[in-house]
Amino acid sequence: MAQETDIAKMAAQVVAGNRRALARAITLVESQRADHRADALALLEAVGQSKQALRIGLSGTPGVGKSTFIEAFGMFLTGLGKRVAVLAVDPSSARSGGSILGDKTRMDLLAREPLAFIRPSPSRTELGGVARRTREAVALCEAAGFDVVLIETVGVGQSETVVAQMSDLFVLLLAPAGGDELQGVKRGIMEIADLILVNKADGTLKPQAIRTCADYAGALRLLRKRPQDPDDFPKALTISALESDGISAAWDEVQALTHWRKDNGIWDQTRAAQRGKWFQDEVRHLLLARLHSDPDLRAQMDTSEAAVSAGDTTPEAAAARIVASLRESS
């Protein structure tokens, strides 16, 4: 009963906008301990899903200035009176599992802004640089009353569709580059980006940034139009995060696309599809956890893996036997 009271108290504090309670709540949902997981589920049920924030996924090539952009963008939004949460997913070491988690040091001004909340989280080698529980952290930020949630991901690759599946808009941040810079961005990324922002459009790089932006604008016109977009989206813009130039224009485009999708029912359809996808993902995770936690099934998994590696059986046949054993043990 005491634990239930603690969870209820934490939920009430989160809903009231208590940032320390929010930080503790996110720590709880990120925990891999079984007892913490039960508490996390109870907490998520307690805070509910009545509030919605604008979720913006953000990715970009290393050195493009993601942290500088997020700080400039976040300060602009807080200047408008909006509450902004930043969920920055740091890459974890494949060897040690550790992460630097230095985003707060890179966003010093935003970290001290009362209307902002920055939470770095380790990716723990999850696909696309998105921690498995990032979507639950997003739900907690929404429950806490934040207006905008920025989800910064690790790197650029086709796996960035993971963050697009939990965002309302996906922003790709790029820098001016020489040569075949357009060839360096995969088509899959181009197809999921709602806005391409060419950063560092200042000083001597400004002319090159303008040319790069024009190249991407041309490439976007060659892609098939998406049904969830108005005629002039997706689009490319130039910005200077260092000088906060173009930030207001980028926000205007974000708002225009958001309003269009809400007015045309795309927003609700996307959110419904996301919830269904998350349900399927969670079922798969729980089934894998069951295989690894049951000693008999784990032993059978190890034996089957060895047989597959030795070429004594096919992966498909071995997997079918494991699933049959799982069904029999239920």
PDB file of all heavy atoms in Angstrom, residues 208-220:
ATOM      1  N   GLN A 208      27.413  28.882 -49.570  1.00  0.00           N
ATOM      2  CA  GLN A 208      27.407  27.443 -49.788  1.00  0.00           C
ATOM      3  C   GLN A 208      26.166  26.808 -49.160  1.00  0.00           C
ATOM      4  O   GLN A 208      25.594  25.860 -49.708  1.00  0.00           O
ATOM      5  CB  GLN A 208      28.666  26.810 -49.188  1.00  0.00           C
ATOM      6  CG  GLN A 208      28.908  25.396 -49.673  1.00  0.00           C
ATOM      7  CD  GLN A 208      30.309  24.915 -49.358  1.00  0.00           C
ATOM      8  OE1 GLN A 208      31.057  25.613 -48.670  1.00  0.00           O
ATOM      9  NE2 GLN A 208      30.669  23.749 -49.852  1.00  0.00           N
ATOM     10  N   ALA A 209      25.743  27.331 -48.009  1.00  0.00           N
ATOM     11  CA  ALA A 209      24.533  26.827 -47.368  1.00  0.00           C
ATOM     12  C   ALA A 209      23.317  27.063 -48.255  1.00  0.00           C
ATOM     13  O   ALA A 209      22.431  26.202 -48.369  1.00  0.00           O
ATOM     14  CB  ALA A 209      24.334  27.496 -46.010  1.00  0.00           C
ATOM     15  N   ILE A 210      23.268  28.222 -48.895  1.00  0.00           N
ATOM     16  CA  ILE A 210      22.145  28.535 -49.786  1.00  0.00           C
ATOM     17  C   ILE A 210      22.126  27.575 -50.976  1.00  0.00           C
ATOM     18  O   ILE A 210      21.076  27.070 -51.378  1.00  0.00           O
ATOM     19  CB  ILE A 210      22.230  29.998 -50.259  1.00  0.00           C
ATOM     20  CG1 ILE A 210      22.018  30.944 -49.067  1.00  0.00           C
ATOM     21  CG2 ILE A 210      21.200  30.272 -51.347  1.00  0.00           C
ATOM     22  CD1 ILE A 210      22.248  32.403 -49.389  1.00  0.00           C
ATOM     23  N   ARG A 211      23.311  27.278 -51.528  1.00  0.00           N
ATOM     24  CA  ARG A 211      23.378  26.337 -52.651  1.00  0.00           C
ATOM     25  C   ARG A 211      22.989  24.930 -52.211  1.00  0.00           C
ATOM     26  O   ARG A 211      22.268  24.218 -52.922  1.00  0.00           O
ATOM     27  CB  ARG A 211      24.795  26.328 -53.240  1.00  0.00           C
ATOM     28  CG  ARG A 211      25.166  27.599 -53.989  1.00  0.00           C
ATOM     29  CD  ARG A 211      26.419  27.374 -54.824  1.00  0.00           C
ATOM     30  NE  ARG A 211      27.575  27.030 -53.989  1.00  0.00           N
ATOM     31  CZ  ARG A 211      28.410  27.925 -53.472  1.00  0.00           C
ATOM     32  NH1 ARG A 211      28.209  29.225 -53.686  1.00  0.00           N
ATOM     33  NH2 ARG A 211      29.448  27.532 -52.764  1.00  0.00           N
ATOM     34  N   THR A 212      23.466  24.534 -51.031  1.00  0.00           N
ATOM     35  CA  THR A 212      23.119  23.207 -50.514  1.00  0.00           C
ATOM     36  C   THR A 212      21.625  23.085 -50.290  1.00  0.00           C
ATOM     37  O   THR A 212      21.005  22.061 -50.617  1.00  0.00           O
ATOM     38  CB  THR A 212      23.875  22.943 -49.193  1.00  0.00           C
ATOM     39  OG1 THR A 212      25.274  23.022 -49.421  1.00  0.00           O
ATOM     40  CG2 THR A 212      23.540  21.569 -48.637  1.00  0.00           C
ATOM     41  N   CYS A 213      21.033  24.127 -49.739  1.00  0.00           N
ATOM     42  CA  CYS A 213      19.587  24.132 -49.508  1.00  0.00           C
ATOM     43  C   CYS A 213      18.838  23.991 -50.831  1.00  0.00           C
ATOM     44  O   CYS A 213      17.852  23.249 -50.922  1.00  0.00           O
ATOM     45  CB  CYS A 213      19.175  25.419 -48.791  1.00  0.00           C
ATOM     46  SG  CYS A 213      17.429  25.517 -48.393  1.00  0.00           S
ATOM     47  N   ALA A 214      19.307  24.680 -51.863  1.00  0.00           N
ATOM     48  CA  ALA A 214      18.661  24.587 -53.174  1.00  0.00           C
ATOM     49  C   ALA A 214      18.769  23.173 -53.736  1.00  0.00           C
ATOM     50  O   ALA A 214      17.826  22.654 -54.353  1.00  0.00           O
ATOM     51  CB  ALA A 214      19.292  25.588 -54.139  1.00  0.00           C
ATOM     52  N   ASP A 215      19.909  22.522 -53.513  1.00  0.00           N
ATOM     53  CA  ASP A 215      20.084  21.142 -53.977  1.00  0.00           C
ATOM     54  C   ASP A 215      19.064  20.215 -53.313  1.00  0.00           C
ATOM     55  O   ASP A 215      18.448  19.369 -53.971  1.00  0.00           O
ATOM     56  CB  ASP A 215      21.497  20.659 -53.665  1.00  0.00           C
ATOM     57  CG  ASP A 215      22.551  21.318 -54.544  1.00  0.00           C
ATOM     58  OD1 ASP A 215      22.165  21.843 -55.606  1.00  0.00           O
ATOM     59  OD2 ASP A 215      23.736  21.298 -54.169  1.00  0.00           O
ATOM     60  N   TYR A 216      18.913  20.381 -51.999  1.00  0.00           N
ATOM     61  CA  TYR A 216      17.970  19.515 -51.288  1.00  0.00           C
ATOM     62  C   TYR A 216      16.529  19.834 -51.644  1.00  0.00           C
ATOM     63  O   TYR A 216      15.683  18.942 -51.737  1.00  0.00           O
ATOM     64  CB  TYR A 216      18.186  19.633 -49.774  1.00  0.00           C
ATOM     65  CG  TYR A 216      19.380  18.833 -49.310  1.00  0.00           C
ATOM     66  CD1 TYR A 216      20.565  19.468 -48.929  1.00  0.00           C
ATOM     67  CD2 TYR A 216      19.331  17.450 -49.271  1.00  0.00           C
ATOM     68  CE1 TYR A 216      21.660  18.738 -48.529  1.00  0.00           C
ATOM     69  CE2 TYR A 216      20.428  16.712 -48.875  1.00  0.00           C
ATOM     70  CZ  TYR A 216      21.595  17.357 -48.500  1.00  0.00           C
ATOM     71  OH  TYR A 216      22.688  16.628 -48.116  1.00  0.00           O
ATOM     72  N   ALA A 217      16.238  21.101 -51.862  1.00  0.00           N
ATOM     73  CA  ALA A 217      14.884  21.469 -52.280  1.00  0.00           C
ATOM     74  C   ALA A 217      14.549  20.807 -53.615  1.00  0.00           C
ATOM     75  O   ALA A 217      13.433  20.308 -53.826  1.00  0.00           O
ATOM     76  CB  ALA A 217      14.764  22.987 -52.386  1.00  0.00           C
ATOM     77  N   GLY A 218      15.522  20.786 -54.527  1.00  0.00           N
ATOM     78  CA  GLY A 218      15.311  20.122 -55.807  1.00  0.00           C
ATOM     79  C   GLY A 218      15.123  18.622 -55.648  1.00  0.00           C
ATOM     80  O   GLY A 218      14.271  18.017 -56.310  1.00  0.00           O
ATOM     81  N   ALA A 219      15.929  18.027 -54.750  1.00  0.00           N
ATOM     82  CA  ALA A 219      15.802  16.582 -54.522  1.00  0.00           C
ATOM     83  C   ALA A 219      14.445  16.239 -53.918  1.00  0.00           C
ATOM     84  O   ALA A 219      13.838  15.218 -54.265  1.00  0.00           O
ATOM     85  CB  ALA A 219      16.931  16.115 -53.601  1.00  0.00           C
ATOM     86  N   LEU A 220      13.955  17.089 -53.024  1.00  0.00           N
ATOM     87  CA  LEU A 220      12.656  16.828 -52.401  1.00  0.00           C
ATOM     88  C   LEU A 220      11.531  16.865 -53.437  1.00  0.00           C
ATOM     89  O   LEU A 220      10.551  16.125 -53.321  1.00  0.00           O
ATOM     90  CB  LEU A 220      12.385  17.854 -51.293  1.00  0.00           C
ATOM     91  CG  LEU A 220      13.240  17.720 -50.036  1.00  0.00           C
ATOM     92  CD1 LEU A 220      13.003  18.906 -49.103  1.00  0.00           C
ATOM     93  CD2 LEU A 220      12.932  16.413 -49.302  1.00  0.00           C
TER      94      LEU A 220
END
